[in-house]
Amino acid sequence: MAQPEHLTTPVDDVVSRMRALGAVLPERDGVGVFNRVYLAVTEEVGRRLHAGEFADPRAAATLDVRFAERYLAAVDTAAGDRRPPACWRPLFQLRHHPGVRPLQFALAGINAHIGHDLALAVVDTCRALDCEPLDLEDEFDRVGDLLVSLEERIREDLMPGPDLLQIADPLTHLLGSWSLERARDATWTTARALWALRHCADVAEEFAERLDAAVGFAGRMLLTPLTD
């Protein structure tokens, strides 16, 4: 008997949107560089959901989609000549700069998405599912572990060859200044703080604005143009 086809899920829908975006972005476009990286992550999440590898697939899918929607909203905002969140502005402003290397674009996008969007996506998911952040911890860790495992592949794919990357190369120092794993750990704490502040709207809004600005500042540093 033939196996039934997988039903389309909301994760499949955001994968389709990212594929369509990737099809129109030039290879050297900084947003395109990040989009390829993020598409690979989201495709893998979708594969694992279809394979039944998440203990709570509904929570995992909701978190993944709310997470992706924040990136896609930033893309749509920039495309409409409006200002995206501060965390994303450096990538959109410098996406065509010839002095910024592909690995920098990838890390700046990851910085914006993990450092800012993921915490807000956890809060969005808790509201959508009427649950607490601790109820999502396993799904958060599984998605985070996937991101960390792909970081090495990203660096291998986008890193200059060993003859180009010398100890004195400024890129070496930039790479040592940021860690996806540390960013993920900080994001979990931030998400719990935002959730605790949900009944104090003014304080929560100010907290989120400061987070957005701080992550944007880090992104601008990651995108420092480098000489070849």
Side-chain angles (χ1 to χ4, degrees), residues 11-32:
V11 174
D12 296 324
D13 292 339
V14 295
V15 164
S16 295
R17 291 171 66 188
M18 278 187 264
R19 286 176 178 165
L21 183 60
V24 299
L25 291 174
E27 182 176 356
R28 190 61 177 78
D29 183 298
V31 178

Side-chain angles (χ1 to χ4, degrees), residues 47-65:
R47 186 195 69 76
R48 295 188 183 193
L49 279 167
H50 283 305
E53 296 184 18
F54 286 95
D56 187 341
R58 178 169 176 252
T62 303
L63 177 60
D64 189 70
V65 169

Side-chain angles (χ1 to χ4, degrees), residues 154 176 189:
I154 292 165
T189 301

